[in-house]
Amino acid sequence: MALVDLLNVSKHYEAQKILEHINFHIDEGERIVIVGKNGSGKSTLMKIVHGSLETDEGERINRQGIEIKMLSQVPQFDPSHSVREAIEAGLGELRTAKVRFDEISVLLAQHVDNEMLLHEQSRLTTFLDHHNAWNLDDKIERVMHHFMLKAYEHKNVHLLSGGEQRRVALASLLLLKPDILLLDEPTNHLDVYMVEFLEELILKEKFTLLFISHDRYFIDQIATKTIEVEECSLREFNGGYSIYLEQKQELLRTMAQQHDNLLKLLKTENEWLRRGVKARLKRNEGRKQRVLQLREDAKNNPSKIRKMKLELEREAKHFNRSEGMNRQKMLFDVEHLNLTLGDKVLITDFSTRILQKDVIAIVGPNGSGKSTLLKALLGRLKPTRGIIKMGELAIGYFDQHREMLDDNLNLIETFCPHGGDRVDAQGQDYHVYGYLKNFLFPREFLDKKVGVLSGGEKNRVALALLFTKKVDILILDEPTNDLDIPTINILEEKLQNFTGAVILVSHDRYFVDKIAKKLFIFKGDGTIQESYKPYSEYLEDEKELHEVEAMEAEFAHAQTATASVIIDKPKAVKLTFNEQKALATLPDEIDALEKKIDDLNTSLADPKKYEKIGISVLADELEKTKALYEEKVDELLTIEEKQEHIESLKNS
């Protein structure tokens, strides 16, 4: 049974249609991402699910008693609360339940056969299990640590920045664990380490989740289903972002085939009309109308097909980019750079050269000094020690405050400050509307003042304006914030075609992997590491290194403990009957699952097979098989580790 159902729902804002007769549901345990361009209705759909926005038509049904919570873009807190108090504010019911559970446990020790107490204990156990609220204090400490809020826990929450307040609100919702959690761009203002923690927590605690995100790796890791909002309708895809792309590619192929068939049918029908058959006769009127409709469909379908194809081609460039570079001109020569702000050391003894074709991503934890380095390169911040030599160059700068925009100008005045309606962008001459259409702006936006646009729309304007400047280098500070995925794809395409150097700060792993050819990695202690690895690969290596270090520390601690105390010889331990049986059968089961995964991937690549079975059926079966494969592998590894431990005890 669904937790929430939307049946035949429509929503309009004045004359503008947002959603038209859509059906949607959320089942327990699903993690659904909503994708689509800005203004398509993603947030509207989420608010209708939440119940904070009324529908114009249709019905919203939710299971009785369920708790739905949504992360607000602008969180509200009690003015007197500290950060810790704000995080704990919504946890009162969970704390009360735990206290009552402990009281009942004591009473049952004295009155074992009390039916009412046993019933209440069972209800509380289910409640605390669902919210995973047995060790709330430990969870609060962990969340504050990973979201870098521990240092502020006694500070008034209203003294924090907007991004820090969002982290406080997110922490509170994660600890509360409602029946359905709604998150609008949850990874904004989180660095990659916070995002990885968020992914781990959501998966481990089996949240039911509806979210909007432009972080494509986050979507791939978290989503069990993708809902695309387009032209007032919903289109459903199984799985995360990569499977969504595969299924959309298949949809494109089907649409193209349908369009070919439509053209053949249209040709036949046009010939029928030209032969002078009396279409005015009543028995032929219906056929005539069908011809006219076919003509209209033939006009519309190619634009839809081209639009989808463009999106997929932009994504394909992620895997086919050219690595060739012709580095000649030196733009920046950084020698022994040191930067300190107050008591905090941000950069220590950093030297590097930035050349004409470099595409560099500056990455690392929040507050480590990434934006500070940009300001130093721009000459807005003087080094504490060291020098930055800059060649003769023009710089295009995009910052999170969009300082290049004037709220009092409309879009035509912004792009054509000297009059006219033409704009030059990277050597090509465009009509201003034709150019802005590439950044998903409709014609009616041309006369709008910049000041009335949303944050995401202002970002699109600023980025579009940036590519009209004749510059040698683009310096971008968090350019993907507040952008939808279609706009990020456009930005990526523009950057890949840009002939100069690019330096960018971003936490978006997919974006960095796709664009950057070099990394400046801030370690958080003042040091900066240079790397040519893809960012996601570097993060995996870093994670593995931390795991090895933790194992080494644990081993050293165990060695010390063994040397300092006398330990009784452990009792004999052995594998259970079921574990021995699993140890014998699991390798064959895993081999069979591996073969099944290979077969399913082969079927997904074979049009004859996926047309017969259905691509969504195959994709769903592949996801289930992969999940079962991972489960079996984990089970086998756990048993083998236990067996190794038993052998080591025998030999000690």
Side-chain angles (χ1 to χ4, degrees), residues 322-364:
S322 170
E323 298 296 336
M325 286 193 269
N326 178 20
R327 301 180 178 179
Q328 296 177 354
K329 185 178 177 183
M330 192 275 291
L331 305 181
F332 292 98
D333 190 2
V334 180
E335 297 180 3
H336 306 291
L337 178 66
N338 289 262
L339 268 168
T340 304
L341 291 180
D343 297 329
K344 188 168 185 179
V345 177
L346 296 174
I347 299 174
T348 303
D349 196 28
F350 178 57
S351 298
T352 192
R353 284 189 168 187
I354 298 168
L355 305 173
Q356 186 178 9
K357 296 290 183 180
D358 276 341
V359 182
I360 301 168
I362 302 175
V363 297

Side-chain angles (χ1 to χ4, degrees), residues 2-54:
L3 298 180
V4 173
D5 264 312
L6 303 183
L7 305 175
N8 203 30
V9 162
S10 296
K11 184 65 185 176
H12 307 159
Y13 290 115
E14 296 177 352
Q16 185 181 4
K17 295 178 180 180
I18 302 298
L19 299 172
E20 277 287 292
H21 305 296
I22 61 105
N23 294 292
F24 175 74
H25 70 273
I26 303 177
D27 291 330
E28 188 171 353
E30 283 192 308
R31 299 183 299 273
I32 303 173
V33 62
I34 309 171
V35 299
K37 67 181 183 181
N38 285 344
S40 62
K42 301 191 298 294
S43 296
T44 298
L45 176 60
M46 180 171 281
K47 288 173 185 175
I48 290 173
V49 171
H50 181 238
S52 56
L53 185 65
E54 291 292 326

